[in-house]
Amino acid sequence: KNDVNPDLQNEKIYAAELGYGFVNRNFRLNVNGYYSVWDDISQLASFQAENGQSVNAFVSDLKETHLGIELDAQYTINRWVNIGGLLSIGDWKYSNDPVADLYDDQTQEPIGQGTLYLKDLKVPDQPQTQVGLNANFRIAKRIDLGAQWLYYANLYAQYTLEDRTNPDDRAQAWKLPSYGIVNARAAWRFQFAGLDSQFQVNCYNLFNTTALVEAEDRAVEDNGVYTHTFRKGFWAWGRNFNFALKVNF
């Protein structure tokens, strides 16, 4: 059956940003700082209790705080070459210990409440530091090449709500190794039936880098001390290509 939850609240977002932009003939720079609060976040999770009972956990008062700075720049060396880069440094974390309402999965009857000990834990599954460099080269009037290097760091493994019900476990989730990926492209512009057209080849993960891009967290307890380690994860795709043809009408 479908029941209306009378305690459900609209999620709220409070945000402040400050930015600066600079542009001249050959150089462009954007800097942006932000602070945002995500309040009354709702989440629903299902898990199996120790007694084998299937339980639904509903949270409606989760709170996150996001603080960070972002920068991107582009410099045109000449008509044939331009280079650029980006930098993003964030501090995203949970700001409270929300309370979950627990329901029997079969009857949907309430069976109690449980506190989730999330305060000051990093928000998982999002790289909180990113660095990028790019370069574009026009090697002929109608042919250009490009390359991009992206580096990801401070990425924490995912964990489920029921993983964080012990008040003695305040350790951060397992942090994935930092990694960098290089992508490249080549484009050829031409006329097709009198129409401006472009054929482009993109190569992702040019150097076939082996990197763990997503992971699940596992808690390990030893004499009351908790540490977190790798459970399982998803690796970056190996070198792969796609092709695109664009015709402007």
Side-chain angles (χ1 to χ4, degrees), residues 15-225:
E17 291 191 41
L18 181 63
Y20 172 76
F22 175 80
V23 179
N24 68 12
R25 181 178 177 182
N26 296 321
F27 182 67
R28 175 184 59 79
L29 171 69
N30 292 305
V31 181
N32 182 62
Y34 63 87
Y35 176 80
S36 59
V37 176
W38 300 63
D39 204 358
D40 293 327
I41 300 172
S42 299
Q43 288 194 11
L44 178 65
S46 299
F47 65 95
Q48 193 169 58
E50 294 180 357
N51 62 3
Q53 182 182 21
S54 295
V55 177
N56 293 325
F58 179 73
V59 178
S60 60
D61 62 340
L62 182 59
K63 184 177 181 179
E64 294 180 13
T65 301
H66 296 192
L67 172 68
I69 185 171
E70 299 171 333
L71 178 151
D72 70 88
Q74 202 74 26
Y75 178 61
T76 300
I77 297 176
N78 53 45
R79 60 180 296 189
W80 305 105
V81 181
N82 67 75
I83 58 176
L86 64 89
L87 173 66
S88 176
I89 300 175
D91 181 16
W92 302 359
K93 60 187 179 183
Y94 294 113
S95 304
N96 68 334
D97 292 330
V99 175
D101 295 314
L102 307 178
Y103 298 86
D104 183 280
D105 184 54
Q106 297 299 318
T107 66
Q108 298 302 314
E109 294 296 323
I111 56 176
Q113 291 184 318
T115 300
L116 306 176
Y117 298 95
L118 302 175
K119 182 174 171 57
D120 294 328
L121 295 184
K122 298 287 188 177
V123 175
D125 201 31
Q126 299 288 339
Q128 300 196 23
T129 299
Q130 298 180 58
V131 181
L133 298 173
N134 65 78
N136 294 283
F137 307 92
R138 175 180 273 186
I139 62 173
K141 184 176 181 180
R142 295 181 176 272
I143 300 175
D144 63 89
L145 307 176
Q148 178 189 55
W149 172 72
L150 294 172
Y151 178 78
Y152 302 96
N154 293 325
L155 172 61
Y156 292 85
Q158 303 176 50
Y159 46 86
T160 58
L161 295 178
E162 68 271 19
D163 291 336
R164 291 295 183 161
T165 57
N166 191 325
D168 296 324
D169 182 8
R170 292 285 188 172
Q172 294 291 346
W174 185 70
K175 185 160 71 170
L176 282 68
S178 303
Y179 66 94
I181 296 287
V182 175
N183 304 316
R185 65 169 190 84
W188 172 46
R189 291 177 298 279
F190 60 97
Q191 289 282 312
F192 176 73
L195 301 173
D196 291 333
S197 306
Q198 177 176 288
F199 177 73
Q200 181 162 306
V201 179
N202 298 301
C203 177
Y204 301 101
N205 196 0
L206 176 65
F207 298 116
N208 208 30
T209 300
T210 300
L212 189 64
V213 297
E214 291 183 14
E216 291 185 11
D217 182 65
R218 180 169 69 93
V220 178
E221 187 267 337
D222 183 15
N223 293 323
V225 177

